[in-house]
């Protein structure tokens, strides 16, 4: 049963990542051409996404703990798929905002539930391996299919700017059907009660999960790291397409940049377990990765005159972020000892990251609009470096 659960996890990761990445290499270009948005308006569209996620993370995490992670994930697939279709037919700022909010709602139903499902399913069947190994391989498989998805999306973009969105929505509906068939919850016992009783259980679960999050030093520490990263990486996340687009002649070129990002993050994710064993101190190791990523972000605009050097530094910073993700997920999973509220705790931690991301979008968008892309990137990198140094000193 352990191997079956792991295989199911990998398959679902592959499908959902494909649905997410079909529009990844053309997202900013789509908003500029389809809706005539400025870079600052594009960031504001994403503020709607981050704000909705921040508001809905904990309630949907509680839903997963009470009604089951499988049910929550199925809702996520349906809602996210619908949001992607709506995005494809939208042509205005408010249309894009509406689509982002729907997709955000779908994301919240999966964000805490999916990781909580695989951890509890494996623990239920006596899994003796390491979670960072599972998360690392899942990240590798996801990145591999994500590269293909980005290239396919970029390839069909010139045929129809909406086509990557429609394909992504269809893939999400397929992912929901697959999950309905293969996601087992052998650890979960559905409570037989009225809807009123369910709401009472949801309230109690939320209060318990939030209390555990506040008391756990690991959850607090990871939350701080996630907040810093979410605030600081919005500039490179949202602006890499116009930043490197000046060097490119076709839209497909951005698809290949996404492939490069996928390759280096695969290597980073695959290296994550070895990094943990080599470094030893997980807390300082995670802080160091944040600092190195910040240095990379700040250096990219310094070498803007050389495409090769700039893209090389950018990809190196993405590799570091690839190491960070699985290590952070694994460290957090080991720090949560209460299975019943796991999805709630993960959602509570994620909430702060999305709230910080919304602020980062506003700050980086304003900096890019009033100063320059280089200034926005420099401030983002400096934030990670200074905050990381402070955390390292505090830990020492």
């Amino acid at each position: 049963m352990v191997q079956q659960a792991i295989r199911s996890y990998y398959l679902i990761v592959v499908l959902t990542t494909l649905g997410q990445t079909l529009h990844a290499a053309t997202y900013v270009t789509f908003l500029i051409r389809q809706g005539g948005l400025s870079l600052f308006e594009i960031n504001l569209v994403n503020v709607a996404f981050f704000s909705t996620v921040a508001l809905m993370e904990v309630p949907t995490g509680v839903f997963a703990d009470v009604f089951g992670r499988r049910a929550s994930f199925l809702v996520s697939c349906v809602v996210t798929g619908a949001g992607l279709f709506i995005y494809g037919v939208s042509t205005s700022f408010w249309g894009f905002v509406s689509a982002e909010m729907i997709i955000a709602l779908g994301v919240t139903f999966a964000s805490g539930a999916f990781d909580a499902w695989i951890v509890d399913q494996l623990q239920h069947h006596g899994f003796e391996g390491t979670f960072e190994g599972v998360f690392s391989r899942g990240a590798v498989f996801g990145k591999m299919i994500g590269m293909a998805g980005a290239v396919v999306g970029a390839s069909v973009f010139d045929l129809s700017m909406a086509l990557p969105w429609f394909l992504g929505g269809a893939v999400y509906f397929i992912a929901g059907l697959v999950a309905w068939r293969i996601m087992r919850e052998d650890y979960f016992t559905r409570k037989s009660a009225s809807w009123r009783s369910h709401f009472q259980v949801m309230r109690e679960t939320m209060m318990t999960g939030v209390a555990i999050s506040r008391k756990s030093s690991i959850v607090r520490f990871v939350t701080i790291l996630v907040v810093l990263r979410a605030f600081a990486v919005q500039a490179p996340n949202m602006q890499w397409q116009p930043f490197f687009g000046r060097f490119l002649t076709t839209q497909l070129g951005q698809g290949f940049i996404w492939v490069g990002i996928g390759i280096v993050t695969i290597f980073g994710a695959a290296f994550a377990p070895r990094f943990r064993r080599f470094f030893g101190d997980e807390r300082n190791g995670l802080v160091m990765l944040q600092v190195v990523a910040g240095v990379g972000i700040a250096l990219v605009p310094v070498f803007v005159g050389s495409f090769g050097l700039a893209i090389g530094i950018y990809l190196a910073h993405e590799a570091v972020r690839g190491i960070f993700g699985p290590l952070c997920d694994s460290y957090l999973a080991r720090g949560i000892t209460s299975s019943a509220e796991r999805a709630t705790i993960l959602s509570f931690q994620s909430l702060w990251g999305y709230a910080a991301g919304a602020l980062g979008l506003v700050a980086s968008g304003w900096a890019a609009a009033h100063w320059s892309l280089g200034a926005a990137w420099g401030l983002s990198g400096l934030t990670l470096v200074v905050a990381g140094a402070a955390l390292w000193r505090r830990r020492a």
Side-chain angles (χ1 to χ4, degrees):
M1 294 304 296
V2 167
Q3 292 305 315
Q4 180 182 349
I6 293 175
R7 288 193 297 269
S8 298
Y9 173 76
Y10 291 156
L11 177 57
I12 295 171
V13 165
V14 165
L15 288 172
T16 54
T17 304
L18 177 61
Q20 294 165 8
T21 55
L22 281 162
H23 64 271
T26 59
Y27 174 70
V28 174
T29 305
F30 172 82
L31 294 180
I32 293 173
R33 294 185 185 178
Q34 182 92 337
L37 273 60
S38 67
L39 289 178
F40 186 52
E41 289 173 324
I42 290 171
N43 276 24
L44 291 180
V45 168
N46 280 266
V47 168
F49 174 88
F50 278 74
S51 300
T52 302
V53 172
L55 289 173
M56 297 304 299
E57 270 286 8
V58 173
T60 53
V62 175
F63 178 94
D65 281 332
V66 174
F67 294 99
R69 285 75 186 264
R70 177 173 175 266
S72 187
F73 187 78
L74 294 180
V75 172
S76 170
C77 289
V78 172
V79 175
T80 304
L84 291 170
F85 274 101
I86 293 172
Y87 227 126
V89 300
S90 298
T91 58
S92 67
F93 174 83
W94 290 110
F96 298 144
V97 166
S98 299
E100 286 283 358
M101 293 176 70
I102 293 170
I103 293 172
L105 180 61
V107 167
T108 61
F109 274 101
S111 59
F114 190 49
D115 284 350
W117 164 71
I118 188 59
V119 170
D120 285 339
Q121 184 73 354
L122 291 179
Q123 287 183 339
H124 177 78
H125 289 289
F127 177 64
E128 297 180 352
T130 60
F131 287 120
E132 62 261 27
V134 175
F135 289 133
S136 174
R137 286 187 292 273
V140 169
F141 294 145
K143 291 298 182 181
M144 290 175 65
I145 194 66
M147 290 188 294
V151 172
V152 170
S155 300
V156 302
F157 183 78
D158 290 332
L159 298 176
S160 169
M161 290 189 292
L163 193 53
W165 298 97
F166 295 155
L167 291 175
V171 171
Y172 257 97
F173 291 152
I174 293 171
L177 291 173
V178 171
W180 177 68
R181 293 294 303 271
I182 69 175
M183 281 184 75
R184 295 173 56 94
E185 288 185 295
D186 300 322
Y187 60 88
F188 181 72
T189 301
R190 176 74 178 269
K191 300 177 180 65
S192 178
S194 65
W195 277 98
R196 182 176 181 179
S197 298
H198 277 310
F199 281 120
Q200 179 63 26
V201 172
M202 289 177 69
R203 179 181 179 277
E204 293 173 356
T205 302
M206 181 174 67
M207 298 300 293
T208 303
V210 171
I212 294 172
S213 298
R214 295 176 62 184
K215 292 179 181 178
S216 170
S217 61
I218 292 179
V219 175
R220 291 200 308 270
F221 176 77
V222 171
T223 300
I224 292 172
L225 290 183
V226 168
V227 164
L228 291 173
R229 181 178 63 167
F231 178 83
V233 301
Q234 297 311 315
N237 281 1
M238 295 301 301
Q239 297 163 3
W240 70 267
Q241 292 177 32
F243 189 92
F244 293 114
R246 71 191 79 179
F247 300 103
L248 306 172
T249 57
T250 65
Q251 191 62 39
L252 187 58
Q254 300 207 15
F256 286 117
I257 291 179
W258 187 264
V259 170
I261 294 172
I263 291 173
V264 297
T265 49
I266 282 175
F267 280 109
F271 184 71
R274 185 172 298 180
F275 176 86
R276 174 177 173 260
R277 292 192 297 269
F278 172 79
F279 201 84
D281 187 333
E282 286 182 284
R283 289 197 173 206
N284 276 346
L286 288 169
V287 171
M288 188 194 74
L289 291 171
Q290 292 276 59
V291 171
V292 173
V295 171
I297 294 171
L299 284 178
V300 170
V302 175
F303 299 98
V304 67
S306 171
F307 174 75
L309 194 53
I311 194 68
I313 296 172
Y314 180 76
L315 292 177
H317 124 272
E318 288 284 357
V320 172
R321 289 172 63 179
I323 300 173
F324 180 91
L327 287 183
C328 188
D329 291 342
S330 175
Y331 185 51
L332 181 60
R334 288 197 303 274
I336 301 174
T337 58
S338 176
S339 172
E341 293 85 20
R342 187 180 300 277
T344 302
I345 296 170
L346 289 173
S347 293
F348 182 71
Q349 177 267 329
S350 180
L351 178 158
W352 295 107
Y354 279 106
L359 294 176
L361 285 166
V362 174
S364 62
W366 187 91
H370 291 80
W371 297 332
S372 67
L373 290 176
W377 287 45
L379 289 174
S380 294
L382 187 62
T383 298
L384 280 180
V385 172
V386 172
L391 281 175
W392 185 288
R393 185 176 181 179
R394 179 180 178 184
R395 173 61 178 164

